[in-house]
Amino acid sequence: MLMRGGTSKGAYFLAEDLPADPDARDALLLRVMGSPDERQIDGLGGGHPLTSKVAVVSPSTDPRADVDYLFLQVAVAESVVTDRQKCGNILAGVGPFAVERGLVPAGEERTAVRIRMVDSGDLATATFATPGGRVDYTGDTEIAGVPGTAAPVTVEFSPGDGVLLPTGNVRDEIDGIPVTCVDNGMPTVLMAAASLGVGGHETPEALEGNTALTDRLHAIRLEAGRHMGLGDVADTTVPKLTLLAPPRNGGAITTRTFIPVRCHTSIGVLGAAGVAAGLRIEGGVGADLAHLPTGSDRVRVEHPTGHLDIECGIGTDAAGRPVARRTAVVRTARKIFDGTVFPRPAQPLKDPR
Ligand code: NQM
């Protein structure tokens, strides 16, 4: 099933329909999505990391969950499939997909699906309308970065037991740039845009075209990966990099996020959860630029196509380290197409250029 989940789009599969062996599965998914090729012209992918995503869903053996969700990022121009990151946008489609495929019985009005994210074991609950026992995708909820409106999917993340600051520090300095390395579901490096010589309100295209900036970010990311205990991150999609600047439209902060090579046209859900948490930690990079609301967990994160509202409460553990208490977000999702995909045959590829 091809679905839009939040501001991303992906192919959703039942695990039983894919090879059990991860190498065979990934080789098949490259052919399904049309990678490696900048345009993914011979497959389902849309030629951008945000439209080259896969969800693999199966009944869960964990009594706390109804279904397991494995997220796979399929690279566009390289033969790479990685299971080393999560995706909160594609997550928004997992509940509806589970009902569509009969993995979870639909309620008469609403259905709550408890989802275990396979890579981390973290849990989330997605709640959405199922009038008469069928998923209804229509509604009046608007999310920035998606034209029109659709039915809301409320996603509530259960607090994990991971620490928010993987380097153990609120601030580090990498390559002369002050950074806060945060992980609230997505390892992310927060930096003030100004410290990199940019404003932070530029378009994604302008930032992607600034090679002095992108070279610098590449070097910072490799170093940050080591500091965050992620090892050599040259071939992985985490950590992401978020540039922070003062808000311009009544929100808490402006963001430009590299995922990690392309600049996001909006922001990932868990990426935004990391920004919101980072800004709430005293002394975090960007906290001085932010206009945080008092008396509310809601943080409005501005991004290139609007804003994303995320509820994020943090506290401290017994050792005094910051931890996430609650993270919740409203997204929309939509079934686009349900059918049979015909993967490109397995054969050696010539360079498509
Ligand atoms: O951070 C893009 C997206 C994402 C990830 C990326 C996401 C999240 O918008 O939860 O959703 O960071 O590669 O799909």
Side-chain angles (χ1 to χ4, degrees), residues 45-327:
H48 191 285
L50 297 176
T51 51
S52 184
K53 299 184 170 240
V54 168
V56 183
V57 183
S58 54
S60 185
T61 50
D62 186 328
R64 298 168 305 165
D66 301 307
V67 293
D68 281 353
Y69 154 51
L70 172 67
F71 171 70
L72 297 170
Q73 178 72 52
V74 180
V76 173
E78 284 120 45
S79 292
V80 175
V81 179
T82 173
D83 61 1
R84 284 189 57 188
Q85 78 162 77
K86 289 181 279 189
C87 180
N89 272 308
I90 289 297
L91 170 65
V94 170
F97 175 75
V99 168
E100 296 265 6
R101 287 287 184 263
L103 300 184
V104 177
E108 270 306 298
E109 279 181 30
R110 308 189 65 66
T111 303
V113 177
R114 300 168 308 153
I115 302 161
R116 186 175 77 105
M117 288 172 272
V118 172
D119 64 321
S120 62
D122 288 348
L123 300 165
T125 301
T127 309
F128 46 94
T130 49
R134 295 176 71 89
V135 183
D136 183 3
Y137 295 97
T138 61
D140 57 10
T141 297
E142 205 178 330
I143 60 171
V146 178
T149 62
V153 179
T154 304
V155 183
E156 173 108 32
F157 295 88
S158 308
D161 42 20
V163 287
L164 279 174
L165 297 172
T167 69
N169 305 318
V170 176
R171 269 175 189 249
D172 294 280
E173 193 168 301
I174 300 180
D175 200 14
I177 303 293
V179 302
T180 292
C181 298
V182 66
D183 186 352
N184 193 11
M186 182 72 77
T188 305
V189 184
L190 306 178
M191 289 165 274
S195 69
L196 291 150
V198 293
H201 298 93
E202 295 85 347
T203 62
E205 296 75 21
L207 292 172
E208 284 175 358
N210 180 342
T211 47
L213 173 71
T214 55
D215 287 352
R216 190 95 195 263
L217 291 178
H218 178 69
I220 292 171
R221 199 177 88 80
L222 294 182
E223 190 62 23
R226 283 188 281 273
H227 284 288
M228 296 169 87
L230 298 168
D232 179 2
V233 296
D235 291 327
T236 70
T237 56
V238 289
K240 315 281 176 179
L241 305 158
T242 298
L243 313 189
L244 303 171
R248 278 202 172 157
N249 297 303
I253 194 81
T254 298
T255 58
R256 295 292 183 268
T257 301
F258 285 80
I259 58 169
V261 176
R262 302 298 304 270
C263 181
H264 207 305
T265 49
S266 53
I267 190 168
V269 170
L270 294 161
V275 170
L279 296 179
R280 285 234 155 88
I281 298 171
E282 214 182 305
V285 166
D288 54 329
L289 308 171
H291 297 185
L292 287 176
T294 42
S296 162
D297 278 352
R298 181 168 294 192
V299 176
R300 177 159 288 188
V301 179
E302 296 182 5
H303 57 64
T305 44
H307 64 257
L308 184 150
D309 285 330
I310 187 141
E311 313 245 324
C312 173
I314 68 162
T316 44
D317 67 8
R321 295 173 304 184
V323 288
R325 291 268 179 257
R326 177 170 178 271
T327 305

